[in-house]
Amino acid sequence: MISHTRHSVTADSLPHLFRPEEVAKALGCSEWWVKEQARRRRIPFTRAGGAYRFTADHFAEIVRAFEERPVRTAEPVAAERGATARPRRPPEPETAVRLRARRPRRARLGESNAA
C-alpha cells in the first residue's frame, strides 16, 4: 500500500530571502549597484515575484566573488633585504618636448577663402 504524505511548508523550513537594500547595506554599497549586478548576472540571486532576492548562501558567494587577495611581489621588503642593500636611484628625468600652438582653424580657413 502506498501512502502519500504531505509536506507542510512553514516559515521555519524556508530560507530567509534578503531584499536588495538589505544586501546593499551589509556590503556598504547602493541598492542600485546590487540590482545592476544581478541584472547583468554578475552575482547570484533568486527571482521571487519578479523581484531580486538573496539567500545567505548568495550573500556569502557575493562576498567571495569580490574578495581581493594580497599580491605577492617579486621584490622583498626593505626589512627582509637587510641594511646592506643599496637604495634605489630615482629614474632619469625625460627630456621635455617643446610644444607649439597651431593657428586657429578659422584663421587657416580664412586664408584659403581669400585666395
Side-chain angles (χ1 to χ4, degrees):
M1 185 166 173
I2 300 174
S3 68
H4 295 285
T5 59
R6 292 194 167 192
H7 296 286
S8 64
V9 178
T10 64
D12 295 334
S13 65
L14 294 174
H16 179 73
L17 296 177
F18 296 96
R19 294 186 319 263
E21 55 269 18
E22 294 172 304
V23 173
K25 186 175 181 182
L27 292 175
C29 62
S30 69
E31 179 183 349
W32 176 87
W33 183 88
V34 173
K35 289 179 179 179
E36 182 67 11
Q37 298 307 308
R39 184 183 72 79
R40 292 182 181 211
R41 308 281 196 263
R42 293 180 180 160
I43 60 174
F45 64 93
T46 297
R47 289 292 293 248
Y52 297 114
R53 297 291 184 251
F54 304 90
T55 64
D57 290 337
H58 290 152
F59 183 75
E61 193 174 336
I62 292 167
V63 171
R64 280 192 302 274
F66 290 95
E67 177 181 32
E68 296 213 16
R69 305 298 302 170
V71 178
R72 188 86 177 154
T73 60
E75 183 179 319
V77 180
E80 294 175 3
R81 287 190 304 214
T84 59
R86 294 185 305 172
R88 287 182 162 225
R89 287 183 16 193
E92 295 293 325
E94 296 181 20
T95 57
V97 177
R98 179 92 172 138
L99 299 178
R100 224 179 64 203
R102 292 192 309 186
R103 294 188 58 198
R105 184 173 175 218
R106 70 184 131 200
R108 287 182 286 164
L109 290 176
E111 292 173 357
S112 62
N113 291 340

